[in-house]
Amino acid sequence: MRQRIRSIAMITVPVAALVLLSVFLVYWPESGSQWVHEPAEVFSSTDFKGEEFSLSENSGKVTILHFTQLENPLCIECEDSMRSQIEELESLVSSDDPRIEVITVNIRKNAYSEDGWWMAQEWYGVDITWHWTEEFDPYPISSGYIQFWQLDGAFSNPSLVLIDQDLMVVGVYHVYRIGEGVVDGVQSASSL
């Protein structure tokens, strides 16, 4: 009987270790992506339609917080990534999943440029139906998330911050890093 218990234990321990390793590898973040678990900075703002909204309204939903800098002069090196990510977000929003919300924070340095939401619609033909806010100095929203959209001291334009239904930041995708190039790449609507 003792021999049988030892045999089972000898098989069970390696199998359990293999299962744990498999789970770890499946959930290990892809290259460049960052998985975290910390409270999201709750904020309120006004979108391009003049509607006031708050992140707290998204409790119970998954929120994709999209940081970008779409303005004139345009970041030529990151334009393809900016355009493609906005198109993927449009596709995600058009799927009409009530459990998912998208919020774009367009970080602006040039107050004289056209608004980013206007540029996205006119230049890229995107129908923006989600909350899109233009943010200027002192950057009340983006300053609370700088540790997520900045990578090695440079702006990752665009960046996606994933916030779960409990308003916890659970992941970050650095789509494109200025001066470095593609990091995590454009995230498709189906992968989000």
Side-chain angles (χ1 to χ4, degrees):
M1 180 71 164
R2 282 187 167 173
Q3 183 66 14
R4 185 169 182 200
I5 291 173
R6 278 189 200 156
S7 297
I8 291 172
M10 291 178 70
I11 293 171
T12 306
V13 172
V15 169
L18 184 61
V19 168
L20 286 174
L21 179 62
S22 299
V23 168
F24 177 75
L25 292 174
V26 166
Y27 289 102
W28 184 256
E30 295 175 23
S31 171
S33 61
Q34 175 184 349
W35 300 112
V36 293
H37 193 262
E38 63 183 73
E41 288 281 328
V42 176
F43 61 87
S44 297
S45 189
T46 304
D47 68 15
F48 73 98
K49 296 178 271 187
E51 293 179 16
E52 291 184 21
F53 68 96
S54 174
L55 179 63
S56 62
E57 297 167 356
N58 292 352
S59 180
K61 298 180 180 182
V62 172
T63 303
I64 299 169
L65 195 51
H66 167 233
F67 289 95
T68 195
Q69 187 178 17
L70 184 55
E71 66 175 355
N72 265 323
L74 186 64
C75 174
I76 298 300
E77 93 175 77
C78 36
E79 183 180 14
D80 286 342
S81 293
M82 287 190 305
R83 171 193 289 225
S84 296
Q85 192 60 72
I86 291 169
E87 290 170 345
E88 289 298 328
L89 292 173
E90 177 191 31
S91 179
L92 178 65
V93 170
S94 68
S95 72
D96 236 4
D97 188 332
R99 301 168 298 167
I100 300 173
E101 292 288 332
V102 174
I103 298 172
T104 294
V105 178
N106 192 41
I107 303 171
R108 296 274 302 278
K109 293 182 180 176
N110 181 2
Y112 300 103
S113 171
E114 299 90 351
D115 290 331
W117 63 266
W118 180 88
M119 294 170 68
Q121 292 186 126
E122 291 297 313
W123 292 7
Y124 305 153
V126 176
D127 182 22
I128 298 176
T129 57
W130 62 92
H131 293 300
W132 180 299
T133 187
E134 303 286 313
E135 185 166 70
F136 297 91
D137 191 16
Y139 309 107
I141 300 170
S142 58
S143 63
Y145 286 88
I146 193 168
Q147 74 271 28
F148 301 119
W149 56 260
Q150 196 174 73
L151 182 62
D152 299 329
F155 183 22
S156 176
N157 183 16
S159 289
L160 301 174
V161 178
L162 308 178
I163 302 173
D164 73 8
Q165 64 276 6
D166 298 320
L167 300 181
M168 298 291 290
V169 175
V170 294
V172 178
Y173 289 106
H174 300 105
V175 177
Y176 187 98
R177 180 173 172 251
I178 296 172
E180 181 180 324
V182 173
V183 180
D184 293 324
V186 172
Q187 302 302 302
S188 68
S190 60
S191 70
L192 292 170

